[in-house]
Amino acid sequence: MKRAVYAGSFDPVTNGHLWMIREAVELFDEVVVAIGVNPEKHCTFSVDERLDMLRAVTRGFSKLRVEVFENQFLVNYAQSIEANYIIRGIRTASDYEYERTMRYINSDLHADITTIFLLPPREYAEVSSTMVKGLMGPQGWEQMIRQYVPEPVYRRLVAYHERQQAALNND
């Protein structure tokens, strides 16, 4: 069985992530979409919220499961779930340099796990969770980000922003 793991923080999941997931599901017998928990990274959404969003937007994929891993290298996690492949997205030259280095390190740790790089189409090449969150706030932001995230994620972002605004108004 060809099992692949596609990992990230997914804070929040974007249409670019969904493109990667769709491509991976076409290529592999099973895809594990794994939320990596990094205690050094501040996330907007909790792990449970990110799990909910990922499950909502991947509900239609039969060869896919969503999991969480923490306190281990991705390649070790992949080995623990018997994944043969790690899927990584390359959007920029700096992504490539970083991912190339990680591919070689991963190979040193587990030579039997292959890293596959996918290049998203132009409409997703600039989309990142950080970019989406950076667009929030100014007038008209809702329409701006709607094109970059799936509908369930869009609703979560609007609700999150409303909670933030209410908290500011109560101070």
Side-chain angles (χ1 to χ4, degrees):
M1 171 182 271
K2 291 194 299 187
R3 179 177 295 132
V5 61
Y6 174 49
S9 62
F10 303 104
D11 185 43
V13 62
T14 68
N15 289 335
H17 292 129
L18 271 182
W19 181 88
M20 293 284 294
I21 291 166
R22 278 193 295 273
E23 292 297 307
V25 166
E26 290 296 317
L27 294 169
F28 298 97
D29 299 319
E30 182 180 35
V31 175
V32 177
V33 178
I35 297 172
V37 177
N38 179 349
E40 301 297 315
K41 187 173 182 181
H42 171 73
C43 288
T44 301
F45 294 100
S46 71
V47 172
D48 287 338
E49 288 172 312
R50 289 179 279 154
L51 269 171
D52 288 345
M53 285 186 278
L54 266 172
R55 287 182 175 140
V57 301
T58 61
R59 195 168 275 129
F61 297 106
S62 61
K63 301 187 310 181
L64 180 139
R65 68 181 195 253
V66 179
E67 295 186 355
V68 176
F69 75 100
E70 59 184 297
N71 199 30
Q72 60 184 310
F73 294 120
L74 172 57
V75 71
N76 290 341
Y77 171 73
Q79 195 264 340
S80 76
I81 63 167
E82 299 178 354
N84 321 80
Y85 301 90
I86 293 173
I87 305 296
R88 301 301 295 166
I90 304 289
R91 295 172 299 179
T92 64
S94 60
D95 281 353
Y96 172 74
E97 290 300 322
Y98 174 79
E99 295 298 347
R100 181 178 61 90
T101 300
M102 291 307 301
R103 180 258 182 254
Y104 292 131
I105 292 169
N106 288 342
S107 181
D108 290 343
L109 295 172
H110 293 285
D112 57 324
I113 298 176
T114 302
T115 300
I116 304 289
F117 297 135
L118 296 177
L119 297 162
R122 171 68 182 95
E123 64 263 27
Y124 302 124
E126 304 300 323
V127 178
S128 70
S129 299
T130 302
M131 186 262 322
V132 167
K133 291 185 291 188
L135 292 172
M136 292 174 63
Q139 185 176 359
W141 71 268
E142 297 93 342
Q143 285 308 110
M144 179 68 76
I145 68 162
R146 181 170 238 142
Q147 64 190 314
Y148 300 123
V149 295
E151 186 62 29
V153 175
Y154 173 77
R155 289 191 303 269
R156 287 276 184 134
L157 288 167
V158 170
Y160 171 81
H161 187 262
E162 288 171 355
R163 284 193 310 272
Q164 295 298 102
Q165 292 302 323
L168 287 173
N169 292 335
N170 288 334
D171 283 343

